[in-house]
Amino acid sequence: EAIQARFSITREIVADSLDAVLTFEPRSTTRAGATFEQLAWGDYVSVYLALIRGIDPTPVDRIHLLKGQLAGR
C-alpha cells in the first residue's frame, strides 16, 4: 500500500512535466535484483533526460515534495 501511494503521488507531482508515462519491468527473479534494476534504470533515465534537456540533474526539490506528502498521509 505504501509503495502504491508513492507511485501515485510521484505521478501527480510530475504529471505536468510528462508527455508519456512509461513502465519498466525488471528481468531479475529475486526481489533484491529487481529492486536494484529499477533503481538503476530510474536513476539512469532521470539523469539522461535532464542532460539532454540542458537541466542540472542534481537538485532534488521534487523528492523533498514527495517525502513531505508521504509523511503527511
Side-chain angles (χ1 to χ4, degrees):
E1 185 176 311
I3 293 172
Q4 289 302 322
R6 180 178 297 256
F7 290 150
S8 295
I9 292 170
T10 300
R11 276 191 210 100
E12 290 172 16
I13 291 171
V14 301
D16 62 338
S17 302
L18 301 177
D19 293 329
V21 175
L22 304 174
T23 58
F24 171 77
E25 296 295 329
R27 294 181 182 176
S28 179
T29 57
T30 66
R31 178 178 265 178
T35 299
F36 179 76
E37 282 184 55
Q38 290 172 319
L39 289 171
W41 185 247
D43 287 347
Y44 173 80
V45 169
S46 296
V47 170
Y48 177 78
L49 290 175
L51 292 174
I52 65 171
R53 292 179 175 161
I55 299 169
D56 179 2
T58 56
V60 292
D61 296 337
R62 289 183 172 179
I63 298 296
H64 294 299
L65 180 60
L66 169 64
K67 289 179 179 180
Q69 289 189 17
L70 287 170
R73 289 183 53 92

